[in-house]
Amino acid sequence: MRKSGTRNQKRATAKLLGNARRGFCGTVHAIEAQDVTSTLHPTELESRLIELGFVEGARIEVLHEGIIGRDPIAVRVDNNTVAVRRREAMAVVLG
């Protein structure tokens, strides 16, 4: 069975919040924290993102990018504005 390979292929073709530019609008499709480079354990990262409002179906808009390396990003999630690091935003799959 090649489930992990298929998952990585889907992830490679999906739009990730960490790659989005200022002005991008979309909808959260899923959170996949397993393959993300972060100082947090994948379960902890997923929990934190959910607490910030990154749940399936939430509308997002990238409002601002940091000056150095375009990091962090300010994102409007439904009616809330939050800042996240790009490397952690790579766990948010947009649909």
Side-chain angles (χ1 to χ4, degrees):
M1 296 192 144
R2 301 185 112 206
K3 287 185 177 184
S4 63
T6 304
R7 188 164 120 221
N8 289 337
Q9 289 172 350
K10 286 180 184 177
R11 183 173 173 79
T13 60
K15 179 77 173 168
L16 303 175
L17 179 58
N19 293 331
R21 301 294 291 213
R22 189 173 141 221
F24 177 84
C25 295
T27 305
V28 175
H29 178 68
I31 296 177
E32 295 183 1
Q34 296 300 326
D35 300 325
V36 174
T37 303
S38 175
T39 57
L40 300 173
H41 187 274
T43 306
E44 178 70 18
L45 176 59
E46 182 177 356
S47 295
R48 287 188 183 196
L49 290 170
I50 290 170
E51 288 171 0
L52 291 172
F54 292 98
V55 294
E56 186 175 344
R59 292 168 293 139
I60 63 101
E61 178 183 2
V62 179
L63 302 174
H64 183 74
E65 299 175 326
I67 295 172
I68 300 173
R70 299 178 17 240
D71 198 36
I73 55 175
V75 182
R76 179 174 292 132
V77 184
D78 287 332
N79 294 324
N80 301 311
T81 303
V82 297
V84 293
R85 294 180 189 99
R86 281 198 182 270
R87 68 176 177 245
E88 293 170 353
M90 294 298 281
V92 181
V93 180
L94 305 173

